[in-house]
Amino acid sequence: MTHPNAASRPTQAVVLAGGQGSRLRPYTDDRPKPMVEIPGTGTPIIGHQLVWLAEEGVTDVVVSCGHLAEVLQDWLAAADLPVKVTTVVETEPLGRGGGLRYAAAHLPHPERPWYATNGDIWTRFSLRDMADFHTERDAVATLALARPRIPWGAVRTDGFGRITDFIEAPPSTFEINAGVYVFSPEFTGMLPERGDHERTTFPRLARERRLAGFTIPQGAYWRAIDTAKDLTEAAKELAALGGGSGAGGR
């Protein structure tokens, strides 16, 4: 039986792949951040993302390029991709919101909802569930939320200042923006022509109670690949999961 929300699930997505990736040098000296390979998989981050999007029902993807765009475009042109990919390059810096709006203008179905993901996110969870959550809350935009592990050991104390326990790399008590989104068609027109939507559009929608937050299910895999240490950790985690299926602990 078809799920009642199936018709409102996006089949199109934007991948924001224009970042400099300065903290990932030297890996990003000759390639953009999403083209960095997870050690042991032989596939760049964006390759994993496109497979995931295809598995979640996406057929058309717009990749927004910037830093070393031609390296990414060459790889996309040569790769056997599971989705139809269009690339766009900003001719001048538009900011995060402007860049998102510019990329969205190239989606094949502007009248339908769409996903967006940052190009350095390596994750696996049900986008279909997130799209249904978005529809049920009648949201204009929905953010995926993650609880990343704190990179330090934490200390627990009692009321008298005595240490009672040590916890290695505990999950954060705060949820963070996980860099994966569901947007309704009208969201595109709310984005700034240039500038940062996270300081304009998102706060406005939050005040209007039209911004939703979908917590990534416990046990689903999520990591932002921001530094060389993240690459090493991702490779370790994937090896523990059996080679890149992407299911497993966060």
Side-chain angles (χ1 to χ4, degrees), residues 95-182:
R96 290 196 295 179
L100 192 56
R101 183 178 180 129
Y102 179 68
H106 295 80
L107 288 166
H109 307 290
E111 76 291 351
R112 295 188 201 163
W114 47 292
Y115 296 118
T117 179
N118 295 345
D120 59 354
I121 300 298
W122 171 216
T123 186
R124 282 289 191 279
F125 65 90
S126 173
L127 280 175
R128 291 180 174 92
D129 287 352
M130 184 175 170
D132 294 344
F133 178 95
H134 173 84
T135 301
E136 285 154 12
R137 275 145 194 83
D138 200 25
V140 171
T142 297
L143 284 60
L145 305 176
R147 280 189 199 275
R149 292 199 170 272
I150 297 168
W152 307 282
V155 174
R156 186 173 278 143
T157 58
D158 64 14
F160 299 99
R162 287 184 291 249
I163 292 173
T164 58
D165 201 4
F166 293 91
I167 307 144
E168 192 56 43
S172 163
T173 52
F174 290 100
E175 292 182 308
I176 64 155
N177 177 351
V180 180
Y181 312 90
V182 184

Side-chain angles (χ1 to χ4, degrees), residues 58-69:
V58 171
T59 56
D60 293 86
V61 176
V62 175
V63 177
S64 174
C65 311
H67 175 63
L68 297 173

